[in-house]
């Protein structure tokens, strides 16, 4: 029996790390120094270019005073809730006009599934 691969969206994971870091007014330099990695590595993580290991993710979560699950939750591409919370956060920031446009786009996508 073959099991379908359910890859983690490392870009979404990296964006969550970046948002949490910026919300705490911490720089990539501060984070890199705190967990003993390079600034370039932090940049690659936040842009989803590199696959982060659990130990590094745990160190980042500890430095940012959050749970590792905050970063991993709903990042599996085949999950029913994939990126749902990220989408809601983005939606809250849109103007009413842009929300209407997004709803129209969503209706079009729904019809074409």
């Amino acid at each position: 029996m073959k099991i379908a691969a359910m890859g983690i969206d490392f870009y979404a994971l990296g964006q969550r790390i970046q948002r949490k870091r910026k919300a705490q007014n911490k720089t990539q330099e501060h984070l890199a120094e705190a967990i003993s990695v390079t600034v370039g590595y932090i940049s690659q993580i936040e842009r989803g270019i590199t696959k982060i290991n659990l130990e590094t993710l745990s160190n980042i979560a500890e430095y940012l005073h959050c749970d590792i699950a905050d970063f991993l939750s709903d990042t599996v591409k085949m999950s029913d809730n994939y990126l749902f919370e990220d989408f809601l956060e983005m939606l809250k920031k849109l103007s009413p006009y842009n929300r209407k446009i997004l709803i129209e786009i969503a209706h079009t996508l729904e019809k074409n599934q």
Side-chain angles (χ1 to χ4, degrees):
M1 177 169 101
K2 186 175 180 180
I3 298 174
M6 294 193 300
I8 292 175
D9 185 339
F10 286 95
Y11 177 78
L13 188 144
Q15 290 297 292
R16 291 176 184 179
I17 292 169
Q18 183 182 64
R19 280 195 303 272
K20 181 70 86 171
R21 176 183 58 75
K22 286 183 174 183
Q24 296 180 20
N25 294 316
K26 295 179 179 176
T27 66
Q28 287 182 338
E29 290 82 6
H30 293 140
L31 176 55
E33 184 177 332
I35 66 167
S36 301
V37 297
T38 66
V39 174
Y41 184 59
I42 296 298
S43 175
Q44 289 179 349
I45 290 170
E46 290 184 354
R47 292 181 289 142
I49 293 173
T50 191
K51 294 180 179 179
I52 186 172
N53 66 48
L54 286 175
E55 182 178 354
T56 302
L57 186 59
S58 176
N59 291 338
I60 290 171
E62 183 178 333
Y63 176 72
L64 296 175
H65 309 289
C66 63
D67 193 290
I68 196 170
D70 294 345
F71 300 130
L72 290 173
S73 178
D74 300 326
T75 58
V76 175
K77 293 177 185 175
M78 293 179 70
S79 163
D80 287 342
N81 294 320
Y82 174 59
L83 299 180
F84 187 74
E85 292 297 324
D86 297 67
F87 184 74
L88 285 178
E89 284 300 313
M90 182 183 69
L91 189 61
K92 290 176 187 176
K93 296 175 186 175
L94 293 177
S95 69
Y97 176 77
N98 284 337
R99 285 182 189 171
K100 186 175 187 304
I101 291 172
L102 190 56
I103 290 292
E104 291 171 7
I105 292 169
H107 282 298
T108 302
L109 290 171
E110 184 181 40
K111 288 177 190 176
N112 292 319
Q113 276 200 43

